[in-house]
Amino acid sequence: GEGGAKTKAQNNIAALELLKRLEDEKRNASPEEQEVLSRYVGWGGIPQVFEPGRAEWAAEYQKLKELLTDDEYAKARESALTAFYTTPLVCRSIYKAIENMGFQTGNILEPSMGTGNFFGTLPESMAGSRLYGVELDSVTGRIAKKLYPKAKISVCGFEDAVFPDSFFDVAVGNVPFGNFGVSDERYDKYGFHIHDYFFAKALDKVRAGGVVAFVTSKGTMDKQDTRVRKYIAERAELLGAVRLPRTAFFSNANTKVTTDILFFQKRERVLANAEPEWIQLGETADGVPANRYFAKHPEMVLGRMAFNKSMYGNEKETACEPFPDRPLAELLETAIGNIKGSI
């Protein structure tokens, strides 16, 4: 997923051309063709490819118009604001934590899979697991099916994916986030934002003692309203959390946003009066508001929390600024070693 906007767009187009050819020929991809498909990173951060009249993007614009149906094109253009894929470093780190908990094989769910970066980075020790994926975007989901033909992949929204409760051992992924909800009758009464909805449904789908490990917006942990955290705390124990610097996904997704990796273990039963410390907010040593977990465990914040005055001019908005002289891979390895638990 690394490279400039032009490189990403051209890799995406090569993957789309190949997908259409494979579908026309009704066959799976060869290993060499899978290499081409794996370079598809979606359109997050490349909105200019959809703008008519931009001379430097005319060739790519025209090619997409030829390759995609009207519906596929409209969805691709919409996804330029939301489709950001997970860097392999983060995928591998999440698996390392789960491996440290003793997990080897079982049912693994990725409910917002993109083309399947989590499937692609599955460690050898978990190779016997059964993989289940969900992807809303048709083109992306179809690429995932060609990359992972043995996995069970549903091309639909997570709200429309039908799985039995308590079926999965582990759910992993990078969930979509935004200040909008998802219509799902079972959860509508809670008014969850989309990222929080993914936690709620995933917790119902994993078994007691199973683990949900998602990358999510820092809003899950840092929003003033504690209701979502209380809902989760009643159903799961927080095994640990890692706050990533806002540049963590910049090289592969061209976006700067502060995110958290949250590890939850499902309880045997709902604990109605659960009030762990991480439900509440606190502040860092520098006086920046943050979840009490991060205030108490600064070693799990892989940067420096600061007021982000550049974002919409809102001085109350906070961000995790990267340490200029400390590589993320090194910081992440140490932080992951602090996540304790047993599956």
Side-chain angles (χ1 to χ4, degrees):
E2 298 194 358
K6 273 279 183 185
T7 300
K8 288 175 183 171
Q10 286 161 3
N11 285 344
N12 281 355
I13 287 168
L16 289 174
E17 288 176 321
L18 176 55
L19 173 67
K20 298 283 182 173
R21 191 160 70 248
L22 292 171
E23 290 180 335
D24 285 345
E25 296 171 7
K26 295 182 172 56
R27 65 179 179 87
N28 285 332
S30 68
E32 294 74 23
E33 288 169 330
Q34 287 182 320
E35 192 67 37
V36 174
L37 294 175
S38 73
R39 295 195 189 101
Y40 184 85
V41 292
W43 302 103
I46 327 176
Q48 56 270 44
V49 76
F50 299 102
E51 295 171 17
R54 292 188 63 150
E56 70 275 29
W57 288 93
E60 291 85 358
Y61 175 84
Q62 188 56 42
K63 197 73 186 166
L64 281 179
K65 280 288 193 181
E66 292 168 10
L67 275 171
L68 300 178
T69 65
D70 290 346
D71 185 54
E72 288 169 348
Y73 183 87
K75 289 211 165 61
R77 188 175 57 200
E78 284 169 22
S79 76
L81 296 174
T82 56
F84 299 107
Y85 292 1
T86 316
T87 171
L89 169 66
V90 172
C91 297
R92 291 192 183 100
S93 298
I94 289 173
Y95 280 130
K96 184 63 184 168
I98 292 168
E99 194 173 46
N100 291 345
M101 295 172 199
F103 179 75
Q104 290 182 315
T105 59
N107 295 327
I108 299 177
L109 169 68
E110 189 184 355
S112 178
M113 70 179 295
T115 56
N117 283 11
F118 277 90
F119 287 2
T121 51
L122 188 78
E124 282 294 316
S125 63
M126 300 179 193
S129 295
R130 294 164 296 282
L131 304 179
Y132 297 78
V134 183
E135 172 51 40
L136 172 63
D137 180 69
S138 165
V139 168
T140 310
R142 281 149 49 204
I143 289 175
K145 285 187 167 193
K146 295 297 183 188
L147 282 168
Y148 307 104
K150 292 180 182 174
K152 294 186 177 178
I153 296 170
S154 305
V155 181
C156 62
F158 190 34
E159 65 276 18
D160 296 319
V162 179
F163 299 113
D165 284 356
S166 305
F167 177 73
F168 296 100
D169 299 283
V170 170
V172 293
N174 183 349
V175 301
F177 36 92
N179 295 331
F180 53 91
V182 170
S183 179
D184 184 328
E185 190 177 344
R186 183 171 177 179
Y187 305 94
D188 283 346
K189 63 183 176 185
Y190 301 106
F192 291 135
H193 284 158
I194 188 167
H195 40 285
D196 300 326
Y197 164 78
F198 269 72
F199 279 99
K201 180 164 179 173
L203 281 170
D204 283 331
K205 299 306 166 190
V206 299
R207 63 171 173 81
V211 169
V212 172
F214 287 163
V215 179
T216 182
S217 156
K218 75 178 177 68
T220 297
M221 291 292 272
D222 278 14
K223 72 180 79 173
Q224 290 282 343
D225 189 334
T226 62
R227 282 177 296 177
V228 166
R229 294 192 291 277
K230 182 157 176 50
Y231 177 95
I232 295 172
E234 289 173 348
R235 291 158 178 80
E237 178 189 354
L238 178 69
L239 298 178
V242 181
R243 176 147 293 175
L244 298 171
R246 68 191 187 99
T247 51
F249 297 107
F250 186 68
S251 63
N252 74 313
N254 200 32
T255 184
K256 290 187 176 181
V257 59
T258 302
T259 53
D260 295 332
I261 310 172
L262 305 182
F263 295 86
F264 290 108
Q265 185 162 40
K266 185 173 176 176
R267 300 186 187 280
E268 291 285 339
R269 54 184 167 72
V270 174
L271 209 59
N273 298 311
E275 289 283 348
E277 198 173 24
W278 63 269
I279 287 179
Q280 304 301 330
L281 299 184
E283 53 182 48
T284 66
D286 298 332
V288 180
N291 188 280
R292 277 193 194 170
Y293 175 88
F294 292 120
K296 191 173 179 179
H297 298 280
E299 73 280 6
M300 304 302 275
V301 181
L302 309 189
R304 184 180 64 84
M305 288 303 296
F307 289 102
N308 183 12
K309 296 179 184 178
S310 65
M311 190 167 179
Y312 316 120
N314 180 359
E315 296 199 7
K316 291 185 178 177
E317 181 65 38
T318 61
C320 184
E321 299 295 340
F323 294 125
D325 53 351
R326 299 172 69 185
L328 179 58
E330 197 178 288
L331 291 165
L332 197 47
E333 185 179 2
T334 303
I336 287 297
N338 295 329
I339 306 287
K340 304 300 180 194
S342 175
I343 296 183

